[in-house]
Amino acid sequence: MALYQIPCDGCCDCLPCAAELNIPEIFRIYNRFLRGEETEALEEYHSLAHTADECIRCGRCEKLCHNRIGISAVMFGIPEEME
Ligand code: SF4
Ligand code: SF4
C-alpha cells in the first residue's frame, strides 16, 4: 500500500479546469488506487469523460489550491500508473 495520498479535500476551488478535468474526482479515484483498491479505481478512472493525460499544464488550478497541491505534476504522473 502506498504511504502517500494526494491531500485533496474536494473543495473544488481549483475548478473549472482549462482542459475540463474534474480534478477532485480524479484525485479521489487516484487515492483509491493508491490505497490498493486498484480494480475499482481503474474502472472509475476509465469511465471519466476527461482523464489526467489531457492536462495541458497551464497551472491555473495550482494558484487556487489552498492545500498547495502540485496538481499538474500529479496529473502528469497518473497516466503511467493508471492508463
Ligand atoms: S494545470 Fe492541468 S489540471 Fe490544472 S487547470 Fe490546467 S489543464 Fe486543468
Ligand atoms: S483546490 Fe486543491 S484541495 Fe480543493 S479540490 Fe482542488 S486540488 Fe483538491
Side-chain angles (χ1 to χ4, degrees):
M1 181 186 294
L3 296 175
Y4 183 70
Q5 297 263 305
I6 307 302
C8 172
D9 57 22
C11 70
C12 295
D13 287 352
C14 54
L15 299 178
C17 159
E20 299 186 40
L21 299 185
N22 186 336
I23 297 167
E25 179 68 356
I26 290 174
F27 287 167
R28 184 191 67 76
I29 293 168
Y30 185 48
N31 281 339
R32 220 180 158 189
F33 182 83
L34 296 175
R35 285 198 304 271
E37 299 170 26
E38 296 181 9
T39 303
E40 298 87 345
L42 286 170
E43 191 174 316
E44 282 193 297
Y45 184 74
H46 291 295
S47 71
L48 291 169
H50 299 279
T51 48
D53 56 297
E54 296 174 50
C55 172
I56 58 172
R57 308 195 87 175
C58 67
R60 177 193 176 278
C61 55
E62 294 170 8
K63 298 187 183 97
L64 300 169
C65 179
H66 66 103
N67 283 333
R68 298 174 184 262
I69 299 170
I71 297 172
S72 61
V74 178
M75 291 298 178
F76 187 74
I78 287 175
E80 192 177 332
E81 296 188 63
M82 299 192 71
E83 299 280 331

